[in-house]
């Protein structure tokens, strides 16, 4: 039996778990519910039990497990201690020590979920072939993960890569969920582009197929732009301008080889990446121009791939 790596991605609704070979081949993946009752006390025991039961069901020996990597939605220090995880009900939690005692497996590491997603995309996704990248996830919010020379950039308190909370509008009056105002997330996320479009529709008389839509979505905005709707096209242009300029600033600090764009908004495809690159090139120094912009490939599995890869470092 080949040695296996276990990747775990703990989310607010479900926990994704996968068994992988050392070469990144997915052998088996599944999900369990995230039980957040009583401050999330059941989450890690549920994960441990599910891993051990699945090993038994698959006739795999625990001695064949190289280790377990765990992605969590919060800052992590020293690959093991979660500083805080509001979405799970956790305060400071020593994830690694708890999982070692529950499974008997010594090689366990934990890391922020966006960071392991970046590692997964570098290993087997849109960033394959590179060792320095910035992952940008454009979903309900804007997340990010930074890989430098093959290693996750975590920062002193595990909070590096929170690119969604870079201030891009110093005149914004509405607060972001983080408490600041004018964050990238307020404009470049799926939620942000919808909110900005609604405001722009209310403030203008421009004709658009978007006007009067009861349930406006980011997909509807991008679809309208693709079909030539001038108003929708301008809203997409605004998003790409803000994102392209912000990624230019990030490049001046971390100098990545490639930007990998993921999340639901990334389904807009090359229409999105081409425009972002144009604004990026207009706002970056000569030595940093024309970096690759790739679309993420692993989708919701990026976290389990990256968590598994984490323990091979």
């Amino acid at each position: 039996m080949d040695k296996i790596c276990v990747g775990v991605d703990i989310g607010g609704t479900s926990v994704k778990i996968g068994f992988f070979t050392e070469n990144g081949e997915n052998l088996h993946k599944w999900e369990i519910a995230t039980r957040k009752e009583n401050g999330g006390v059941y989450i890690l025991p549920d994960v441990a039990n599910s891993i051990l039961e699945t090993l038994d069901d698959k006739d795999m020996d625990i001695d064949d497990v190289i280790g377990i990597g765990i992605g969590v939605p919060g800052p992590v220090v020293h690959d093991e201690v979660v500083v805080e995880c509001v979405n799970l009900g956790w305060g400071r939690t020593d994830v690694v020590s708890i999982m070692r005692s529950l499974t008997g497996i010594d090689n366990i590491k934990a890391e922020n979920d966006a960071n392991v997603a970046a590692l997964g995309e570098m290993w087997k996704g849109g960033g394959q072939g590179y060792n320095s990248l910035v992952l940008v996830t454009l979903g309900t919010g804007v997340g990010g993960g930074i890989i430098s020379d093959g290693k996750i950039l975590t920062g002193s308190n595990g909070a590096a890569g929170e690119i969604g909370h870079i201030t891009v509008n110093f005149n914004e009056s509405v607060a972001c969920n983080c408490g600041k105002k004018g964050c990238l997330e307020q404009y470049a996320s799926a939620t942000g582009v919808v909110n900005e479009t609604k405001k722009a529709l209310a403030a203008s008389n421009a004709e658009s197929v978007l006007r009067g839509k009861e349930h406006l979505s980011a997909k509807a905005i991008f679809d309208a732009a693709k079909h030539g709707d001038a108003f929708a096209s301008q809203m997409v242009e605004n998003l790409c301008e803000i994102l392209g300029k912000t990624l230019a600033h990030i490049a001046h600090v971390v100098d990545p080889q490639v930007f990998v764009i993921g999340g639901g908004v990334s389904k807009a495809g090359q229409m999105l990446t081409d425009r972002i690159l144009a604004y990026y090139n207009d706002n970056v120094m000569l030595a940093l121009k024309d970096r690759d912009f790739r679309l993420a490939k692993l989708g919701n599995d990026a976290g389990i791939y990256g968590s598994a890869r984490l323990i091979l470092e």
Side-chain angles (χ1 to χ4, degrees), residues 261-304:
I261 312 297
V265 174
S266 72
K267 292 178 182 177
Q270 194 169 348
M271 168 192 184
L272 182 72
T273 55
D274 284 352
R275 297 308 302 148
I276 294 171
L277 175 58
Y279 284 107
Y280 170 86
N281 276 337
D282 285 344
N283 290 277
V284 78
M285 64 186 288
L286 184 62
L288 294 168
K289 286 185 183 293
D290 294 316
R291 294 301 159 93
D292 284 340
F293 279 73
R294 299 287 183 89
L295 295 171
K297 293 182 178 180
L298 298 178
N300 291 331
D301 288 341
I304 56 174

Side-chain angles (χ1 to χ4, degrees), residues 10-76:
I10 301 177
T13 302
S14 66
V15 181
K16 298 177 180 64
I17 308 172
F19 290 166
F20 296 85
T21 67
E22 293 177 82
N23 293 323
E25 178 190 354
N26 179 236
L27 301 173
H28 181 61
K29 63 179 180 178
W30 71 101
E31 295 184 20
I32 62 172
T34 304
R35 292 200 293 157
K36 295 182 286 188
E37 306 94 280
N38 298 328
V41 69
Y42 305 114
I43 297 172
L44 293 178
D46 284 352
V47 172
N49 289 337
S50 185
I51 291 170
L52 295 175
E53 288 172 1
T54 305
L55 284 170
D56 189 52
D57 290 344
K58 298 292 182 182
D59 291 324
M60 295 176 175
D61 195 305
I62 195 169
D63 291 335
D64 293 322
V65 177
I66 298 169
I68 303 172
I70 305 169
V72 298
V76 179

Side-chain angles (χ1 to χ4, degrees), residues 20-215:
F20 296 85
T21 67
E22 293 177 82
N23 293 323
E25 178 190 354
N26 179 236
L27 301 173
H28 181 61
K29 63 179 180 178
W30 71 101
E31 295 184 20
I32 62 172
T34 304
R35 292 200 293 157
K36 295 182 286 188
E37 306 94 280
N38 298 328
V41 69
Y42 305 114
I43 297 172
L44 293 178
D46 284 352
V47 172
N49 289 337
S50 185
I51 291 170
L52 295 175
E53 288 172 1
T54 305
L55 284 170
D56 189 52
D57 290 344
K58 298 292 182 182
D59 291 324
M60 295 176 175
D61 195 305
I62 195 169
D63 291 335
D64 293 322
V65 177
I66 298 169
I68 303 172
I70 305 169
V72 298
V76 179
V77 292
H78 309 306
D79 290 339
E80 56 185 77
V81 178
V82 176
V83 177
E84 185 179 32
C85 218
V86 176
N87 290 344
L88 302 181
W90 290 353
R92 190 175 181 87
T93 304
D94 191 337
V95 172
V96 168
S97 292
I98 294 170
M99 284 295 288
R100 281 174 178 159
S101 66
L102 290 169
T103 63
I105 295 170
D106 184 60
N107 184 19
I108 296 178
K109 294 181 181 179
E111 184 53 81
N112 172 265
D113 56 357
N115 289 340
V116 294
L119 193 63
E121 288 290 345
M122 183 190 76
W123 192 28
K124 292 294 176 180
Q128 195 168 7
Y130 299 91
N131 68 359
S132 294
L133 65 83
V134 174
L135 173 67
V136 184
T137 55
L138 307 174
T140 304
V142 174
I146 301 171
I147 307 295
S148 181
D149 197 21
K151 304 292 184 182
I152 293 173
L153 181 64
T154 58
S156 60
N157 288 298
E162 290 285 356
I163 65 173
H165 301 291
I166 295 173
T167 302
V168 297
N169 181 3
F170 292 93
N171 298 313
E172 179 61 69
S173 60
V174 177
C176 175
N177 290 332
C178 75
K180 291 169 67 245
K181 294 177 181 179
C183 293
L184 177 66
E185 183 168 294
Q186 292 178 267
Y187 309 95
S189 66
T191 306
V193 71
V194 168
N195 288 341
E196 289 299 296
T197 300
K198 286 180 177 178
K199 286 193 291 184
L201 283 169
S204 79
N205 295 316
E207 292 186 5
S208 174
V209 297
L210 301 176
R211 191 174 293 282
K213 275 189 175 289
E214 185 176 353
H215 300 293

Side-chain angles (χ1 to χ4, degrees), residues 209-233:
V209 297
L210 301 176
R211 191 174 293 282
K213 275 189 175 289
E214 185 176 353
H215 300 293
L216 186 60
S217 67
K219 182 180 184 300
I221 296 167
F222 278 94
D223 285 347
K226 287 178 179 177
H227 288 93
D229 186 290
F231 182 86
S233 295

Side-chain angles (χ1 to χ4, degrees), residues 232-269:
S233 295
Q234 186 57 56
M235 300 313 300
V236 171
E237 197 74 13
N238 292 348
L239 180 155
C240 292
E241 180 179 3
I242 291 170
L243 192 54
K245 288 178 176 179
T246 305
L247 296 182
H249 297 324
I250 292 169
H252 285 114
V253 178
V254 299
D255 186 17
Q257 296 169 302
V258 62
F259 289 93
V260 179
I261 312 297
V265 174
S266 72
K267 292 178 182 177

